[in-house]
Short mmCIF file of all heavy atoms in Angstrom, two decimals:
data_model
loop_
_atom_site.label_atom_id
_atom_site.label_comp_id
_atom_site.label_asym_id
_atom_site.label_seq_id
_atom_site.Cartn_x
_atom_site.Cartn_y
_atom_site.Cartn_z
N LYS A 84 -2.33 -0.94 15.66
CA LYS A 84 -1.95 -1.10 14.26
C LYS A 84 -3.04 -1.81 13.45
O LYS A 84 -3.77 -2.61 14.01
CB LYS A 84 -0.63 -1.95 14.14
CG LYS A 84 0.53 -1.29 14.85
CD LYS A 84 1.85 -1.99 14.56
CE LYS A 84 2.98 -1.28 15.30
NZ LYS A 84 4.30 -1.72 14.86
N LEU A 85 -3.14 -1.46 12.18
CA LEU A 85 -4.00 -2.17 11.24
C LEU A 85 -3.16 -2.87 10.24
O LEU A 85 -2.49 -2.16 9.46
CB LEU A 85 -4.98 -1.19 10.59
CG LEU A 85 -5.98 -1.84 9.59
CD1 LEU A 85 -6.99 -2.69 10.34
CD2 LEU A 85 -6.72 -0.76 8.79
N LEU A 86 -3.09 -4.18 10.29
CA LEU A 86 -2.28 -4.92 9.34
C LEU A 86 -3.17 -5.36 8.20
O LEU A 86 -4.14 -6.09 8.37
CB LEU A 86 -1.65 -6.11 10.05
CG LEU A 86 -0.57 -6.86 9.19
CD1 LEU A 86 0.56 -7.38 10.08
CD2 LEU A 86 -1.21 -7.98 8.40
N ILE A 87 -2.86 -4.83 7.00
CA ILE A 87 -3.69 -5.06 5.82
C ILE A 87 -2.99 -6.11 4.96
O ILE A 87 -1.86 -5.84 4.43
CB ILE A 87 -3.88 -3.72 5.05
CG1 ILE A 87 -4.50 -2.66 5.96
CG2 ILE A 87 -4.74 -3.92 3.79
CD1 ILE A 87 -4.32 -1.24 5.48
N VAL A 88 -3.65 -7.24 4.76
CA VAL A 88 -3.08 -8.30 3.98
C VAL A 88 -3.61 -8.18 2.53
O VAL A 88 -4.85 -8.11 2.32
CB VAL A 88 -3.42 -9.69 4.47
CG1 VAL A 88 -2.74 -10.80 3.65
CG2 VAL A 88 -3.00 -9.80 5.96
N VAL A 89 -2.73 -8.03 1.55
CA VAL A 89 -3.11 -7.77 0.16
C VAL A 89 -2.47 -8.88 -0.70
O VAL A 89 -1.26 -8.98 -0.71
CB VAL A 89 -2.58 -6.41 -0.31
CG1 VAL A 89 -3.01 -6.15 -1.76
CG2 VAL A 89 -3.05 -5.29 0.62
N SER A 90 -3.33 -9.65 -1.40
CA SER A 90 -2.75 -10.70 -2.23
C SER A 90 -2.34 -10.15 -3.60
O SER A 90 -2.99 -9.24 -4.11
CB SER A 90 -3.80 -11.84 -2.44
OG SER A 90 -4.92 -11.33 -3.09
N MET A 91 -1.31 -10.69 -4.13
CA MET A 91 -0.81 -10.25 -5.43
C MET A 91 -1.56 -10.93 -6.59
O MET A 91 -1.42 -10.51 -7.75
CB MET A 91 0.71 -10.51 -5.57
CG MET A 91 1.58 -9.70 -4.59
SD MET A 91 1.14 -7.93 -4.58
CE MET A 91 1.38 -7.50 -6.27
N ARG A 92 -2.29 -11.97 -6.31
CA ARG A 92 -3.06 -12.72 -7.34
C ARG A 92 -4.22 -13.44 -6.65
O ARG A 92 -4.08 -13.94 -5.55
CB ARG A 92 -2.07 -13.69 -7.99
CG ARG A 92 -2.65 -14.64 -9.03
CD ARG A 92 -2.68 -14.08 -10.47
NE ARG A 92 -1.53 -13.44 -11.00
CZ ARG A 92 -0.53 -14.00 -11.66
NH1 ARG A 92 -0.54 -15.33 -11.81
NH2 ARG A 92 0.44 -13.28 -12.15
N ASP A 93 -5.36 -13.45 -7.32
CA ASP A 93 -6.55 -14.21 -6.84
C ASP A 93 -6.92 -13.89 -5.38
O ASP A 93 -6.82 -14.74 -4.54
CB ASP A 93 -6.31 -15.73 -6.97
CG ASP A 93 -5.92 -16.16 -8.34
OD1 ASP A 93 -6.43 -15.54 -9.32
OD2 ASP A 93 -5.13 -17.10 -8.48
N PRO A 94 -7.45 -12.69 -5.05
CA PRO A 94 -7.74 -11.57 -5.96
C PRO A 94 -6.55 -10.67 -6.21
O PRO A 94 -5.55 -10.66 -5.43
CB PRO A 94 -8.81 -10.82 -5.17
CG PRO A 94 -8.49 -11.10 -3.76
CD PRO A 94 -7.88 -12.47 -3.70
N GLU A 95 -6.62 -9.92 -7.32
CA GLU A 95 -5.57 -8.95 -7.67
C GLU A 95 -5.64 -7.77 -6.71
O GLU A 95 -6.70 -7.47 -6.14
CB GLU A 95 -5.85 -8.39 -9.10
CG GLU A 95 -5.91 -9.40 -10.19
CD GLU A 95 -4.50 -9.81 -10.65
OE1 GLU A 95 -3.63 -8.97 -10.63
OE2 GLU A 95 -4.35 -10.99 -11.04
N PRO A 96 -4.49 -7.11 -6.44
CA PRO A 96 -4.48 -5.97 -5.50
C PRO A 96 -5.28 -4.81 -6.04
O PRO A 96 -5.25 -4.52 -7.25
CB PRO A 96 -3.04 -5.66 -5.35
CG PRO A 96 -2.33 -6.21 -6.53
CD PRO A 96 -3.12 -7.41 -6.97
N ASN A 97 -5.98 -4.12 -5.15
CA ASN A 97 -6.76 -2.90 -5.54
C ASN A 97 -6.25 -1.77 -4.69
O ASN A 97 -6.54 -1.67 -3.47
CB ASN A 97 -8.26 -3.18 -5.23
CG ASN A 97 -9.15 -2.00 -5.63
OD1 ASN A 97 -8.73 -0.85 -5.51
ND2 ASN A 97 -10.33 -2.31 -6.07
N THR A 98 -5.47 -0.87 -5.36
CA THR A 98 -4.81 0.18 -4.56
C THR A 98 -5.85 1.17 -3.95
O THR A 98 -5.59 1.73 -2.92
CB THR A 98 -3.80 0.98 -5.41
OG1 THR A 98 -4.49 1.58 -6.52
CG2 THR A 98 -2.65 0.13 -5.89
N LEU A 99 -6.98 1.33 -4.62
CA LEU A 99 -7.98 2.26 -4.06
C LEU A 99 -8.51 1.70 -2.70
O LEU A 99 -8.63 2.45 -1.76
CB LEU A 99 -9.13 2.44 -5.06
CG LEU A 99 -10.21 3.50 -4.56
CD1 LEU A 99 -9.62 4.85 -4.34
CD2 LEU A 99 -11.37 3.54 -5.58
N VAL A 100 -8.76 0.41 -2.62
CA VAL A 100 -9.22 -0.20 -1.37
C VAL A 100 -8.12 -0.08 -0.33
O VAL A 100 -8.37 0.26 0.86
CB VAL A 100 -9.61 -1.68 -1.59
CG1 VAL A 100 -9.89 -2.34 -0.25
CG2 VAL A 100 -10.84 -1.76 -2.48
N ILE A 101 -6.87 -0.33 -0.71
CA ILE A 101 -5.74 -0.19 0.24
C ILE A 101 -5.69 1.25 0.78
O ILE A 101 -5.55 1.41 1.98
CB ILE A 101 -4.39 -0.54 -0.45
CG1 ILE A 101 -4.37 -1.99 -0.92
CG2 ILE A 101 -3.24 -0.26 0.51
CD1 ILE A 101 -3.18 -2.32 -1.83
N ASP A 102 -5.77 2.23 -0.12
CA ASP A 102 -5.64 3.62 0.30
C ASP A 102 -6.86 4.08 1.10
O ASP A 102 -6.70 4.96 1.97
CB ASP A 102 -5.37 4.50 -0.93
CG ASP A 102 -4.07 4.23 -1.62
OD1 ASP A 102 -3.21 3.60 -0.97
OD2 ASP A 102 -3.89 4.60 -2.75
N LYS A 103 -7.99 3.52 0.88
CA LYS A 103 -9.17 3.79 1.73
C LYS A 103 -8.87 3.28 3.17
O LYS A 103 -9.15 3.98 4.14
CB LYS A 103 -10.41 3.13 1.19
CG LYS A 103 -11.13 3.88 0.14
CD LYS A 103 -12.47 3.15 -0.23
CE LYS A 103 -13.26 3.98 -1.21
NZ LYS A 103 -14.52 3.34 -1.56
N MET A 104 -8.31 2.08 3.26
CA MET A 104 -8.08 1.50 4.57
C MET A 104 -6.94 2.21 5.33
O MET A 104 -7.03 2.45 6.53
CB MET A 104 -7.77 0.03 4.43
CG MET A 104 -9.02 -0.80 4.09
SD MET A 104 -8.79 -2.54 4.40
CE MET A 104 -7.71 -2.97 3.05
N THR A 105 -5.88 2.58 4.60
CA THR A 105 -4.79 3.31 5.27
C THR A 105 -5.26 4.66 5.72
O THR A 105 -4.87 5.12 6.81
CB THR A 105 -3.55 3.40 4.38
OG1 THR A 105 -3.90 4.11 3.17
CG2 THR A 105 -2.95 2.07 4.05
N ALA A 106 -6.14 5.34 4.91
CA ALA A 106 -6.64 6.64 5.30
C ALA A 106 -7.53 6.50 6.58
O ALA A 106 -7.46 7.33 7.51
CB ALA A 106 -7.45 7.25 4.16
N LEU A 107 -8.38 5.45 6.59
CA LEU A 107 -9.21 5.21 7.75
C LEU A 107 -8.31 4.98 9.01
O LEU A 107 -8.62 5.52 10.08
CB LEU A 107 -10.10 4.01 7.53
CG LEU A 107 -10.88 3.50 8.75
CD1 LEU A 107 -12.02 4.50 9.08
CD2 LEU A 107 -11.50 2.15 8.48
N ALA A 108 -7.28 4.22 8.85
CA ALA A 108 -6.39 3.95 9.98
C ALA A 108 -5.75 5.27 10.46
O ALA A 108 -5.76 5.56 11.65
CB ALA A 108 -5.26 2.96 9.58
N GLN A 109 -5.19 6.07 9.54
CA GLN A 109 -4.55 7.32 9.90
C GLN A 109 -5.54 8.26 10.64
O GLN A 109 -5.21 8.88 11.60
CB GLN A 109 -4.02 8.04 8.67
CG GLN A 109 -2.98 7.25 7.91
CD GLN A 109 -1.56 7.39 8.48
OE1 GLN A 109 -0.66 6.72 8.05
NE2 GLN A 109 -1.37 8.27 9.45
N LYS A 110 -6.76 8.31 10.18
CA LYS A 110 -7.81 9.12 10.77
C LYS A 110 -7.98 8.75 12.21
O LYS A 110 -8.21 9.61 13.10
CB LYS A 110 -9.13 9.00 9.99
CG LYS A 110 -10.31 9.68 10.65
CD LYS A 110 -11.62 9.29 9.98
CE LYS A 110 -12.78 9.73 10.84
NZ LYS A 110 -14.07 9.44 10.25
N ASN A 111 -7.93 7.46 12.51
CA ASN A 111 -8.17 6.96 13.86
C ASN A 111 -6.88 6.76 14.68
O ASN A 111 -6.91 6.12 15.71
CB ASN A 111 -8.94 5.64 13.76
CG ASN A 111 -10.40 5.84 13.38
OD1 ASN A 111 -11.17 6.37 14.11
ND2 ASN A 111 -10.73 5.44 12.13
N LYS A 112 -5.81 7.35 14.20
CA LYS A 112 -4.48 7.25 14.86
C LYS A 112 -4.11 5.78 15.07
O LYS A 112 -3.61 5.42 16.12
CB LYS A 112 -4.54 8.01 16.19
CG LYS A 112 -4.79 9.50 16.00
CD LYS A 112 -4.71 10.30 17.23
CE LYS A 112 -4.66 11.83 17.01
NZ LYS A 112 -5.67 12.31 16.05
N ILE A 113 -4.30 5.02 14.02
CA ILE A 113 -3.87 3.63 14.00
C ILE A 113 -2.76 3.54 12.94
O ILE A 113 -2.89 4.06 11.84
CB ILE A 113 -5.05 2.68 13.58
CG1 ILE A 113 -6.18 2.83 14.58
CG2 ILE A 113 -4.58 1.24 13.49
CD1 ILE A 113 -7.51 2.13 14.15
N GLU A 114 -1.71 2.86 13.26
CA GLU A 114 -0.56 2.75 12.30
C GLU A 114 -0.80 1.65 11.28
O GLU A 114 -0.98 0.47 11.63
CB GLU A 114 0.71 2.44 13.10
CG GLU A 114 1.97 2.38 12.28
CD GLU A 114 3.20 1.90 13.07
OE1 GLU A 114 3.22 2.13 14.31
OE2 GLU A 114 4.06 1.33 12.44
N PRO A 115 -0.87 2.00 9.96
CA PRO A 115 -1.07 0.95 8.96
C PRO A 115 0.24 0.14 8.71
O PRO A 115 1.32 0.71 8.75
CB PRO A 115 -1.42 1.74 7.67
CG PRO A 115 -1.62 3.13 8.08
CD PRO A 115 -0.82 3.32 9.38
N VAL A 116 0.02 -1.16 8.50
CA VAL A 116 1.15 -2.08 8.11
C VAL A 116 0.63 -2.84 6.89
O VAL A 116 -0.46 -3.39 6.94
CB VAL A 116 1.48 -2.99 9.24
CG1 VAL A 116 2.61 -4.00 8.81
CG2 VAL A 116 1.94 -2.26 10.52
N LEU A 117 1.42 -2.87 5.81
CA LEU A 117 0.98 -3.61 4.62
C LEU A 117 1.78 -4.89 4.46
O LEU A 117 2.99 -4.88 4.57
CB LEU A 117 1.22 -2.72 3.38
CG LEU A 117 0.44 -1.39 3.30
CD1 LEU A 117 0.81 -0.63 2.07
CD2 LEU A 117 -1.07 -1.65 3.33
N VAL A 118 1.04 -5.97 4.19
CA VAL A 118 1.72 -7.23 3.93
C VAL A 118 1.20 -7.75 2.56
O VAL A 118 -0.01 -8.02 2.43
CB VAL A 118 1.44 -8.29 5.02
CG1 VAL A 118 2.06 -9.63 4.66
CG2 VAL A 118 2.02 -7.82 6.39
N PHE A 119 2.06 -7.85 1.61
CA PHE A 119 1.71 -8.36 0.27
C PHE A 119 1.95 -9.84 0.26
O PHE A 119 3.09 -10.30 0.45
CB PHE A 119 2.49 -7.61 -0.81
CG PHE A 119 2.10 -6.16 -0.90
CD1 PHE A 119 3.01 -5.19 -0.45
CD2 PHE A 119 0.87 -5.73 -1.37
CE1 PHE A 119 2.66 -3.83 -0.50
CE2 PHE A 119 0.51 -4.39 -1.42
CZ PHE A 119 1.41 -3.44 -0.94
N SER A 120 0.87 -10.61 0.03
CA SER A 120 0.95 -12.06 0.05
C SER A 120 0.91 -12.65 -1.31
O SER A 120 0.66 -11.95 -2.31
CB SER A 120 -0.23 -12.62 0.89
OG SER A 120 -1.44 -12.37 0.23
N LYS A 121 1.19 -13.96 -1.42
CA LYS A 121 1.20 -14.73 -2.66
C LYS A 121 2.19 -14.18 -3.64
O LYS A 121 1.97 -14.13 -4.83
CB LYS A 121 -0.21 -14.74 -3.31
CG LYS A 121 -1.32 -15.32 -2.38
CD LYS A 121 -2.64 -15.44 -3.13
CE LYS A 121 -3.77 -15.81 -2.23
NZ LYS A 121 -5.05 -15.88 -2.92
N THR A 122 3.34 -13.71 -3.14
CA THR A 122 4.37 -13.16 -4.00
C THR A 122 5.07 -14.24 -4.82
O THR A 122 5.86 -13.95 -5.68
CB THR A 122 5.40 -12.37 -3.21
OG1 THR A 122 5.90 -13.22 -2.13
CG2 THR A 122 4.79 -11.11 -2.60
N ASP A 123 4.72 -15.52 -4.54
CA ASP A 123 5.19 -16.63 -5.40
C ASP A 123 4.41 -16.65 -6.71
O ASP A 123 4.91 -17.14 -7.73
CB ASP A 123 5.08 -17.97 -4.69
CG ASP A 123 3.64 -18.25 -4.17
OD1 ASP A 123 2.97 -17.26 -3.69
OD2 ASP A 123 3.16 -19.37 -4.27
N LEU A 124 3.21 -16.06 -6.72
CA LEU A 124 2.37 -16.08 -7.93
C LEU A 124 2.55 -14.82 -8.78
O LEU A 124 2.31 -14.82 -10.00
CB LEU A 124 0.88 -16.20 -7.57
CG LEU A 124 0.48 -17.45 -6.75
CD1 LEU A 124 -0.99 -17.43 -6.46
CD2 LEU A 124 0.89 -18.73 -7.50
N ALA A 125 2.93 -13.69 -8.17
CA ALA A 125 3.12 -12.45 -8.87
C ALA A 125 4.05 -11.52 -8.05
O ALA A 125 3.99 -11.55 -6.84
CB ALA A 125 1.81 -11.75 -9.16
N SER A 126 4.88 -10.76 -8.74
CA SER A 126 5.84 -9.90 -8.07
C SER A 126 5.13 -8.72 -7.38
O SER A 126 4.12 -8.22 -7.85
CB SER A 126 6.82 -9.34 -9.09
OG SER A 126 7.59 -8.26 -8.50
#
Side-chain angles (χ1 to χ4, degrees):
K84 299 188 180 192
L85 181 68
L86 190 145
I87 303 161
V88 183
V89 181
S90 62
M91 295 311 302
R92 178 87 44 92
D93 305 325
E95 302 279 328
N97 181 326
T98 60
L99 184 60
V100 172
I101 297 168
D102 294 343
K103 276 186 175 182
M104 287 196 288
T105 58
L107 173 70
Q109 298 278 171
K110 173 190 167 179
N111 287 291
K112 297 183 169 48
I113 301 168
E114 184 186 332
V116 177
L117 298 177
V118 176
F119 295 108
S120 65
K121 304 186 188 177
T122 53
D123 54 321
L124 301 180
S126 168

